């Protein structure tokens, strides 16, 4: 292509491209934590019912007698099967007979209990405040927590469709600036939200902006990079995702109040909005100043002429989605790739959004997940070159699903083993994402590659939106969501067998190339 030739003549990967790449990658690192933010802002601390005799500040020591807080808790809150205080029930009346540990009460009936009608008492040792403690999203209201996560993911799905069209219509720079501003405003306002409904609405708007920034950043970096550096650039983009995970764990450890954390991660988007005002328009000028070559003007004119010729050709030959749906092989490939991407992100966000199910030190888990996924992405590149596209994906996806299935049968006391299996699953998921992205580009013809990538992206975000919603099934069975998370990538690994191997094979340029294979 002439524009690639123009970039190559200007130095390939010069100073201006590097500066632009650093700016966009920094934006990804600071933006990606918003996707996993509710691991910390919506953490569920230990809690129990509020009881008058123990938690009322107006009750004097004389009223309580000489009883310790543990004794008062025992007569006020029933115990669960693990001999721990119930989280959602309390005795209707104090059960004084429970203080006689050595006594026997053969005819004693089951004491009457009631819900936490006066609210809850929360353990604030790790999280001083979360949206859960702010709006009491526990017990009967606990399903509202994954609904809030679902709305953010749903916003990402819809935002990808809307802003994708707007980017093609008005340009990526304009949409990118608007999305940075939208994320900054909605994220900042979410930190000040007075009620849960408004918070969910603002998180929905944040989800709209996140997908558009990620997709436009990926395209902008790719368009301003010559082909010989494309593999390096894709690896750097995926690495920025992992660095964003690590950053989130570190910042959340420093700012454990949910409003402060939300505000800290939202304000930098204002700076990126301001910095994005003129940087794209200056890129061609910077390249011209840096190259000092008279050939540049000739190549630029040649590039404009080439673009005009391609637009005329595109006006005569257009490939629509409906045309593709009539081609059996290409239609099957798009369906298979979409299901694979859905299963990958369903599994990934099933783990990444539910760190509390692994243990209490979720700050460390977040950093471990980011570090493991960063390493796994480069391992995937090596595996693809030596093992092949299909076998690599099958191994990674099977490992990803199996690690979650095995975790179900590991006792909670073996926390180190549970965390190790989860880290293995996240690493396999990161490797699968890299492998699948490369395989997809090699399976779809050039004339339909961008549209197919959009369909694949929407399928992935549908899986991401479904992941938090599946946690509401814990009302029926605590293991059911994890079984679905684990089985989906295992089933998808068999779908990979239906796709052809593409290692060391030429890429298809037209739909006929796919249909004639």
């Amino acid at each position: 292509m002439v524009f690639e030739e123009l970039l190559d003549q200007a130095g390939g990967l010069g100073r201006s491209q590097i500066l632009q790449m650093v700016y966009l990658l920094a934006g990804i690192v600071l933006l990606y934590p918003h996707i996993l933010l509710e691991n910390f802002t919506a953490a569920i601390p230990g809690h129990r019912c509020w009881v008058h005799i123990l938690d009322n500040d107006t009750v004097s020591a004389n009223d309580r007698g000489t009883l310790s807080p543990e004794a008062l808790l025992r007569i006020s809150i029933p115990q669960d099967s693990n001999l721990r205080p119930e989280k959602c029930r309390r005795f209707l009346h104090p059960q004084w007979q429970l203080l006689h540990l050595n006594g026997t009460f053969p005819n004693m009936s089951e004491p009457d209990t009631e819900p936490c009608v006066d609210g809850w008492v929360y353990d604030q040792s790790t999280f001083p405040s979360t949206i859960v403690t702010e709006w009491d999203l526990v017990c009967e209201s606990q399903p509202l927590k994954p609904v809030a996560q679902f709305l953010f993911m749903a916003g990402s799905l819809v935002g990808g469709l809307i802003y994708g069209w707007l980017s093609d219509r008005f340009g990526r720079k304009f949409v990118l600036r608007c999305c940075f501003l939208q994320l900054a405003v909605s994220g900042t306002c979410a930190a000040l939200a007075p009620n849960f409904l408004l918070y969910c609405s603002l998180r929905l708007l944040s989800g709209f902006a996140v997908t558009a920034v990620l997709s436009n950043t990926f395209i902008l970096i790719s368009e301003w990079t010559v082909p010989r550096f494309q593999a390096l650039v894709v690896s750097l983009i995926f690495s920025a995702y992992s660095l964003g995970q690590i950053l989130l764990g570190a910042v959340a450890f420093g700012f454990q109040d949910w409003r402060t954390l939300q505000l800290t991660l939202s304000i930098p988007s204002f700076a990126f909005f301001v910095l994005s005002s003129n940087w794209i328009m200056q890129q061609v000028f910077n390249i011209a100043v840096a190259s000092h070559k008279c050939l540049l003007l000739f190549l630029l004119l040649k590039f404009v002429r080439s673009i005009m010729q391609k637009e005329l050709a595109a006006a005569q030959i257009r490939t629509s989605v409906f045309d593709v749906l009539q081609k059996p092989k290409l239609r099957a490939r798009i369906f298979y790739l979409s299901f694979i991407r859905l299963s990958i992100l369903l599994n990934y966000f099933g783990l990444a959004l539910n760190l509390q199910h692994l243990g209490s030190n979720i700050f460390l888990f977040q950093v471990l997940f980011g570090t493991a996924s960063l390493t796994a992405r480069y391992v995937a590149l090596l595996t693809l070159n030596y093992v092949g596209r299909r076998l690599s994906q099958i191994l990674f996806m099977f490992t990803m699903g199996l690690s979650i299935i095995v975790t179900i049968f590991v006792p909670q006391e073996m926390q180190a083993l549970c965390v190790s299996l989860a880290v293995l699953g996240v690493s396999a998921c990161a490797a699968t994402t890299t492998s699948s992205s490369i395989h997809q580009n090699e399976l779809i013809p050039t004339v339909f590659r961008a549209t197919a990538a959009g369909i694949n992206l929407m399928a992935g975000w549908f899986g991401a939106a479904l992941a938090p919603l599946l946690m509401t099934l814990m009302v029926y069975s605590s293991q059911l969501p994890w079984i679905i998370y684990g089985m989906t990538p295992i089933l998808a690994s068999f779908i990979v067998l239906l796709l052809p191997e593409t290692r060391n094979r030429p890429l298809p340029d037209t739909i006929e190339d796919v249909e004639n294979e």
Side-chain angles (χ1 to χ4, degrees):
M1 294 179 64
V2 178
F3 186 61
E4 293 173 355
E5 184 180 355
L6 173 64
L7 289 177
D8 202 19
Q9 290 291 333
L13 192 63
R15 182 176 60 180
S16 67
Q17 287 100 322
I18 293 175
L19 291 175
Q20 170 184 302
M21 191 183 306
V22 169
Y23 166 78
L24 291 173
L25 291 177
I28 293 177
V29 172
L30 291 175
L31 176 142
Y32 195 79
H34 285 272
I35 300 176
L36 307 175
L37 186 59
E38 284 171 336
N39 269 332
F40 304 95
T41 59
I44 304 177
H47 56 276
R48 61 168 176 81
C49 291
W50 185 94
V51 292
H52 175 79
I53 196 173
L54 184 60
D55 302 310
N56 192 348
D57 294 335
T58 61
V59 177
S60 65
N62 293 331
D63 296 329
R64 295 170 179 167
T66 58
L67 296 179
S68 65
E70 292 76 14
L72 292 173
L73 184 64
R74 179 169 174 76
I75 66 174
S76 304
I77 305 292
Q79 294 182 339
D80 58 17
S81 57
N82 297 321
L83 300 180
R84 297 174 180 174
E86 283 277 1
K87 297 180 178 180
C88 301
R89 306 289 296 181
R90 71 179 185 180
F91 289 127
L92 190 60
H93 304 288
Q95 303 298 308
W96 300 102
Q97 70 275 13
L98 296 177
L99 296 177
H100 304 283
L101 300 179
N102 297 327
T104 58
F105 305 92
N107 299 322
M108 187 179 67
S109 60
E110 188 72 21
D112 293 332
T113 61
E114 63 179 354
C116 302
V117 293
D118 295 319
W120 290 262
V121 175
Y122 296 98
D123 178 11
Q124 297 181 330
S125 59
T126 302
F127 295 99
S129 175
T130 69
I131 66 169
V132 172
T133 63
E134 184 91 9
W135 296 301
D136 291 330
L137 304 181
V138 292
C139 298
E140 294 83 359
S141 300
Q142 187 166 337
L144 292 177
K145 173 183 176 287
V147 168
Q149 295 173 326
F150 165 76
L151 288 175
F152 178 86
M153 294 300 179
S156 300
L157 176 63
V158 178
L161 292 172
I162 296 176
Y163 284 127
W165 178 82
L166 291 176
S167 297
D168 294 334
R169 179 70 176 83
F170 299 104
R172 307 195 194 286
K173 174 197 171 184
F174 175 75
V175 173
L176 189 66
R177 291 188 64 201
C178 292
C179 289
F180 272 128
L181 180 60
Q182 179 176 330
L183 181 63
V185 173
S186 60
T188 302
C189 292
L192 307 174
N195 56 67
F196 182 66
L197 179 60
L198 183 58
Y199 170 82
C200 289
S201 302
L202 292 168
R203 287 289 288 167
L204 179 70
L205 293 176
S206 295
F208 265 70
V210 164
T211 306
V213 173
L214 291 178
S215 59
N216 279 329
T217 297
F218 186 93
I219 295 173
L220 283 170
I221 293 178
S222 300
E223 289 176 345
W224 284 86
T225 305
V226 293
R228 67 177 182 271
F229 294 117
Q230 287 285 343
L232 173 63
V233 166
V234 171
S235 300
L236 290 174
I237 293 174
F238 282 125
S239 299
Y241 296 162
S242 301
L243 291 175
Q245 289 182 272
I246 298 173
L247 175 67
L248 174 60
V251 175
F253 182 78
F255 302 97
Q256 297 178 1
D257 177 81
W258 81 269
R259 293 185 184 274
T260 305
L261 177 60
Q262 176 81 42
L263 197 62
T264 302
L265 292 174
S266 300
I267 288 179
S269 297
F270 285 108
F272 278 88
F273 165 71
V274 174
L275 292 175
S276 64
S277 58
N278 295 315
W279 66 271
I280 286 183
M281 294 300 295
Q282 294 172 351
Q283 295 308 311
V284 175
F285 175 76
N286 291 338
I287 292 174
V289 172
S291 64
H292 299 293
K293 294 182 179 179
C294 297
L295 184 62
L296 188 62
L297 179 60
F298 169 75
L299 290 174
L300 184 59
L301 295 174
K302 187 178 179 183
F303 167 66
V304 174
R305 181 181 178 184
S306 173
I307 291 297
M308 294 177 63
Q309 292 175 347
K310 289 183 178 181
E311 289 180 351
L312 291 174
Q316 298 175 357
I317 303 176
R318 293 181 179 178
T319 303
S320 67
V321 177
F322 299 102
D323 295 333
V324 172
L325 293 178
Q326 298 176 5
K327 306 296 182 179
K329 287 187 177 181
L330 184 56
R331 180 178 65 234
R333 286 190 183 183
I334 293 174
F335 174 77
Y336 296 153
L337 290 169
S338 297
F339 181 76
I340 291 170
R341 180 54 63 91
L342 184 150
S343 67
I344 293 172
L345 293 191
L346 176 69
N347 179 283
Y348 172 75
F349 285 105
L351 279 172
L353 291 175
N354 297 287
L355 296 183
Q356 270 197 297
H357 291 274
L358 302 176
S360 58
N361 195 350
I362 61 176
F363 308 103
L364 178 61
F365 299 157
Q366 186 67 67
V367 175
L368 281 176
F369 279 14
T371 305
S373 62
L374 180 63
T375 306
R377 298 188 193 280
Y378 291 97
V379 172
L381 293 177
L382 296 176
T383 307
L384 288 171
N385 293 329
Y386 291 99
V387 180
R389 275 49 168 167
R390 290 201 310 175
L391 184 57
S392 296
Q393 287 185 80
I394 292 172
L395 291 175
F396 292 141
M397 296 180 76
F398 197 83
T399 302
M400 179 171 53
L402 189 62
S403 62
I404 294 182
I405 296 296
V406 173
T407 305
I408 298 176
F409 302 99
V410 176
Q412 293 183 351
E413 293 76 14
M414 303 177 66
Q415 184 180 1
L417 180 58
C418 291
V419 174
S420 299
L421 290 170
V423 170
L424 177 62
V426 169
S427 301
C429 186
T432 306
T433 304
T434 304
S435 305
S436 176
S437 299
I438 295 175
H439 197 201
Q440 170 194 317
N441 289 333
E442 297 173 346
L443 287 171
I444 303 300
T446 305
V447 296
F448 196 69
R449 191 166 293 150
T451 304
I455 296 173
N456 193 260
L457 180 65
M458 292 304 102
W461 279 109
F462 180 78
L466 190 61
L469 203 59
L470 288 178
M471 293 306 294
T472 59
L473 298 176
M474 293 190 71
V475 176
Y476 307 102
S477 172
S478 60
Q479 298 178 349
L480 183 57
W482 301 104
I483 293 174
I484 298 175
Y485 292 145
M487 290 302 300
T488 305
I490 292 177
L491 294 175
S493 66
F494 294 102
I495 300 295
V496 179
L497 293 173
L498 302 176
L499 297 172
E501 176 60 54
T502 58
R503 183 180 61 159
N504 298 328
R505 293 186 180 181
L507 301 182
D509 290 324
T510 64
I511 296 177
E512 287 69 24
D513 291 341
V514 175
E515 297 299 319
N516 294 332
E517 280 188 0

